[in-house]
Amino acid sequence: MQNFTSAEEAVKLIKSNDKVFIQAAAATPTPLIEALAARKDELRGVQTIHLHMEGPMPIADPDCHEAFHPNALFIGSNLRQAVAEGRASYIPVFLSEAPLLFRRGIWPLDVALVHVSPPDLHGYCSLGVSVDVTKAAVETARYVIGMVNPLMPRTHGDAQVHVSRFSALYYEERPLLGHEPKQPTDIEMAIGRNVASLVEDGATLQVGIGGIPNATLSCLTNHKDLGLHTEMFSDGVIDLVQKGVINGCMKKKYRGRMVSTFLIGSRRLYDFVHDNPMLAMLEANYTNDTSVIRSNPKVTAINSAIEIDLTGQVSADSIGTRLYSGVGGQMDFIRGASLSEGGKAIIALPSATTRGESKIVPLLKQGAGVVTTRAHVNYVVTEYGVAYLFGQSLRQRARALINIAHPDHREELERAAFDRFKNINA
């Protein structure tokens, strides 16, 4: 285990036309990516594949176009321009099915670049904050290159990788990428209160990162016996665990434990999850499996959207034809929550953009992708209230959504609804 090499030497395992997996989010192995980009003049046709990346992405720079072509299962801010300009590509896939790309040989991997903890006494490193599709990549790639970082938290579950699996190891102590929690805005707090009003005692939560999830979690301090089964979480969960609000005692799967597949947040979060037996970090094909999700009680799935039309169609991965993020696990959890006994599938979003444009629209923008269909949406929440859509006609849906739209846009939406449905009060 003392046979560490430099990042530059480690990435020499990568050859032209190789398919290379890169661990993502807070575990993005930035030094290995930078070392790979430095080989742009000697490599051609290398295809990379990954979830959303944090930090710099030099392999997506214009002068690296001949050497590398990134393929994103979820587009981060550092790849949007490259995707728009054709220097990178987007692969739409449910997070629950993403590991199958590797296990079924649809994306046969030559090399996997991962970011792990130092090995324990038994020789096992931990994938730490990003198990998701990484476990499948590590198991199927011909070569695995590891960045060993003592600041990577050791997590339990599916995160363990024996040191013998690595073809090359690079050591660096470096703070993990992440996000400091921000104080929710007044609008986010109003949305959070409305979402929290739907959460029952004993519910199993799916939450994400950002102002709305944090606002919602801050409104749950008087709840009891909540569980956590989610694809990811951030700092907002910590206080509820420490107060005993989230204890998982009502869950059917991993009772008494939190389940997630990746994490991103502050150093406080990474310290909280380090060697924490209450947390099980599991593969995405388990955490996002609808049959697993639905087995827990009162699953309350809280997701967001870029825009939603008057019939309930949700666009969450693009702004018109402009690709923005990804399919991710929204449908996995929307469906799982809907089928859970007492479950609630929630789309929570501000009524308007920061530029004042309505996020509830007569029609989705031309070319927008429908991530969640109108048949799957149960609840839509804005700062103006809650619209319950399940079992409602298109006319009734339009009326309910107009009632929670921003007041500045309701008249326009009513005209559009009348033109389309003739009588939205029927």
Side-chain angles (χ1 to χ4, degrees), residues 276-393:
N276 188 338
M278 188 180 177
L279 172 66
M281 290 290 288
L282 305 177
E283 286 194 75
N285 57 335
Y286 180 88
T287 61
N288 287 50
D289 184 333
T290 297
S291 65
V292 172
I293 296 166
R294 69 179 294 185
S295 66
N296 284 313
K298 302 179 183 177
V299 175
T300 305
I302 306 163
N303 288 273
S304 195
I306 291 173
E307 61 181 6
I308 181 168
D309 75 9
L310 287 175
T311 73
Q313 294 188 113
V314 172
S315 177
D317 68 347
S318 65
I319 303 172
T321 58
R322 181 189 169 208
L323 296 167
Y324 188 80
S325 55
V327 171
Q330 182 171 122
M331 268 300 303
D332 297 329
F333 277 93
I334 288 287
R335 194 64 183 144
S338 299
L339 296 173
S340 164
E341 185 174 351
K344 297 174 182 176
I346 300 168
I347 298 293
L349 72 169
S351 64
T353 69
T354 55
R355 293 185 294 182
E357 299 170 348
S358 182
K359 292 175 77 75
I360 298 174
V361 294
L363 299 169
L364 299 180
K365 290 181 177 63
Q366 185 174 0
V370 176
V371 168
T372 298
T373 77
R374 58 172 71 105
H376 288 102
V377 177
N378 290 177
Y379 295 87
V380 179
V381 178
T382 73
E383 69 271 30
Y384 291 102
V386 177
Y388 183 60
L389 304 188
F390 184 67
Q392 304 298 301
S393 71

Side-chain angles (χ1 to χ4, degrees), residues 158-171:
D158 292 332
Q160 287 68 41
V161 181
H162 196 268
V163 69
S164 62
R165 183 68 185 93
F166 295 97
S167 306
L169 288 168
Y170 162 71
Y171 183 95

